[in-house]
Amino acid sequence: MTEQLKVPDCTSLLAFQAALFSNRWTAREIARLEENSATGTLLDGCRECLGFLDRIIHADTRDPGKTQQLKFQHMFCVAGKVCPDEAIKWMQCIQMASSRGGASAANTTCAPEKRRLEKCTQRAASLLVTAAMLREGGGGRSD
């Protein structure tokens, strides 16, 4: 059996985006993010990739390969918008390593780039959630 490429774990950022897609954030929480230049940019990046999430939800589940491809494209879209430098470095690494030794080589060679991308998406998700939940004047939800 051939080894599969290990994709970065961007769960926290994808969960934030899924909540955005499902309208689980209040208008005030979204406004807090939009008012801040740093989180506004991250929020815009998450919004730009909502089309992939919609396609995953409506995908033909009888074709698991297509669903997996959509999930990878979605993950890379969100990670690429929120952490562009880290996403590009990881993708370049896996392309070069895969051409030389397949997925196994890419997993080993590109582990540091994968981890940097994971940490970046975790920081971004933390920043987004914290900024959305904190009211002016510090601490706690205001809604």
Side-chain angles (χ1 to χ4, degrees), residues 82-100:
V82 173
C83 300
D85 294 340
E86 292 83 353
I88 289 168
K89 287 177 184 170
W90 176 73
M91 185 58 86
Q92 288 172 336
C93 183
I94 62 166
Q95 287 172 340
M96 286 182 18
S98 293
S99 68
R100 294 186 190 133

Side-chain angles (χ1 to χ4, degrees), residues 47-99:
R47 284 176 170 155
E48 287 181 42
C49 300
L50 286 173
F52 282 109
L53 192 54
D54 187 55
R55 283 187 283 195
I56 290 167
I57 291 168
H58 296 99
D60 182 356
T61 56
R62 295 171 295 180
D63 186 352
K66 178 74 171 167
T67 303
Q68 279 304 110
Q69 181 182 11
L70 282 171
K71 286 181 178 180
F72 176 82
Q73 290 171 339
H74 174 238
M75 180 279 302
F76 193 72
C77 180
V78 176
K81 296 291 183 182
V82 173
C83 300
D85 294 340
E86 292 83 353
I88 289 168
K89 287 177 184 170
W90 176 73
M91 185 58 86
Q92 288 172 336
C93 183
I94 62 166
Q95 287 172 340
M96 286 182 18
S98 293
S99 68

